[in-house]
Amino acid sequence: MFEPKGWGYLQNYEHMVQPIIAKVDTAQGSKEYPLHTHPKGQLILALDGYVTCEAANKMWMVPTHSAIWVPANTLHSNRASDNAKLCFVFIDANKHGMPQHTCTLAITGLVKSLMLKLASEHQAYNEDSKTARLAQVLFDLLIEMPAQPLDFVLSKHAVIQAMGQQLLAQPNNRKTLAQWAHDFALTERTLARLIKKQTGMTFGKWRMQLHVINALQALSDGQSVQQVSALLGYESVSAFITMFKKVMGKSPTKYMGDLN
């Protein structure tokens, strides 16, 4: 992912015998770590900046104050934004209760504080130590953290893959389903069925998922709601807020305020 001291520097932590290990690190520039796995489950909390993760034909985005959970031995790739500050927690595969699939988790202020506290302690702790008790309390709270709908399906189908790549590269792309169908020499009905089959969602919902991911990235970088609305090509700020509330259940300002 990123190598201020070499990737092996973090790998040393995930191979320790302690069941829960925590470490804070900072990305040196925007870095990508290709497909890989971990012997322990990996939780990545974005303290500053953001991280994206790809696994099982989906992309997850981790904005500031959210975390991505990747179970042990799950093939995935990561990308960190420039100078992103991240807190890693490695959890032994034998500790049960965390989600069985890759997902994004909302992280409360208390859980964040416990993660940072654990990361500040000596990681080679004894099983009957104060640090071991701290790690167990953190784990007990982590398994209660709710998942967030921050994944974007990446299909391997040529047409849907091309659409996804264009949408990722051009966040303000507002082409209608009919226009997309014309581009691929398909009927609108055929393309709609294809998107539904490949993503499990309608075209509108699929694109909204990506817009929320893009929005949270930009909001985490300090952009205003007005700037994000323009970035995504919405005709008005109110239209963008309506879309965001439909997916996340609250306005962008309220959502980011609660995270902070």
Side-chain angles (χ1 to χ4, degrees), residues 7-19 21 37-41 73 90-92:
W7 175 248
Y9 168 64
L10 286 176
Q11 284 183 315
N12 290 337
Y13 285 89
E14 66 178 28
H15 286 287
M16 294 178 70
V17 298
Q18 285 71 20
I21 298 293
T37 63
H38 301 280
K40 293 179 187 272
N73 303 312
F90 297 105
I91 301 177
D92 195 285

Side-chain angles (χ1 to χ4, degrees), residues 11-79:
Q11 284 183 315
N12 290 337
Y13 285 89
E14 66 178 28
H15 286 287
M16 294 178 70
V17 298
Q18 285 71 20
I20 302 175
I21 298 293
K23 177 62 183 172
V24 173
D25 212 348
T26 302
Q28 301 299 303
S30 179
K31 296 290 184 179
E32 181 174 4
Y33 191 73
L35 288 171
H36 62 286
T37 63
H38 301 280
K40 293 179 187 272
Q42 182 189 43
L43 186 75
I44 309 174
L45 173 68
L47 302 171
D48 290 302
Y50 60 86
V51 175
T52 57
C53 174
E54 292 187 20
N57 295 328
K58 287 187 177 182
M59 181 186 77
W60 284 264
M61 179 270 171
V62 189
T64 304
H65 305 311
S66 292
I68 187 164
W69 166 248
V70 183
N73 303 312
T74 297
L75 193 64
H76 66 286
S77 63
N78 294 338
R79 178 185 293 274

Side-chain angles (χ1 to χ4, degrees), residues 54 57-58 152-169 180 184 186 191 194-195 198-199 206 210:
E54 292 187 20
N57 295 328
K58 287 187 177 182
F152 180 65
V153 178
L154 302 171
S155 172
K156 291 185 177 180
H157 189 282
V159 170
I160 309 306
Q161 186 178 72
M163 289 181 67
Q165 290 173 345
Q166 287 189 48
L167 291 170
L168 285 166
W180 282 108
F184 293 106
L186 299 170
L191 182 57
L194 182 59
I195 294 172
Q198 292 294 316
T199 70
W206 185 51
L210 179 59

Side-chain angles (χ1 to χ4, degrees), residues 37-179:
T37 63
H38 301 280
K40 293 179 187 272
Q42 182 189 43
L43 186 75
I44 309 174
L45 173 68
L47 302 171
D48 290 302
Y50 60 86
V51 175
T52 57
C53 174
E54 292 187 20
N57 295 328
K58 287 187 177 182
M59 181 186 77
W60 284 264
M61 179 270 171
V62 189
T64 304
H65 305 311
S66 292
I68 187 164
W69 166 248
V70 183
N73 303 312
T74 297
L75 193 64
H76 66 286
S77 63
N78 294 338
R79 178 185 293 274
S81 63
D82 189 18
N83 295 319
K85 186 176 181 181
L86 310 172
C87 182
F88 296 85
V89 177
F90 297 105
I91 301 177
D92 195 285
N94 293 324
K95 289 190 72 65
H96 303 293
M98 295 293 288
Q100 296 182 358
H101 303 286
T102 303
C103 63
T104 304
L105 300 177
I107 299 296
T108 64
L110 173 59
V111 171
K112 173 187 171 183
S113 296
L114 290 173
M115 291 173 66
L116 294 176
K117 175 61 176 174
L118 179 60
S120 71
E121 300 292 331
H122 184 54
Q123 297 303 298
Y125 56 83
N126 296 323
E127 62 180 13
D128 59 348
S129 65
K130 178 183 70 174
T131 303
R133 293 193 294 273
L134 170 64
Q136 184 59 49
V137 170
L138 170 61
F139 178 79
D140 290 342
L141 292 176
L142 279 174
I143 62 178
E144 297 179 352
M145 294 298 99
Q148 298 172 304
L150 299 181
D151 58 287
F152 180 65
V153 178
L154 302 171
S155 172
K156 291 185 177 180
H157 189 282
V159 170
I160 309 306
Q161 186 178 72
M163 289 181 67
Q165 290 173 345
Q166 287 189 48
L167 291 170
L168 285 166
Q170 303 168 354
N172 63 345
N173 187 317
R174 305 298 296 175
K175 285 195 294 188
T176 65
L177 183 62
Q179 290 171 321

Side-chain angles (χ1 to χ4, degrees), residues 210-220 228 231-232 240 243-244:
L210 179 59
H211 280 182
V212 168
I213 292 172
N214 288 327
L216 288 172
Q217 285 182 337
L219 291 167
S220 296
V228 177
L231 172 70
L232 298 179
F240 163 66
M243 180 281 298
F244 193 95

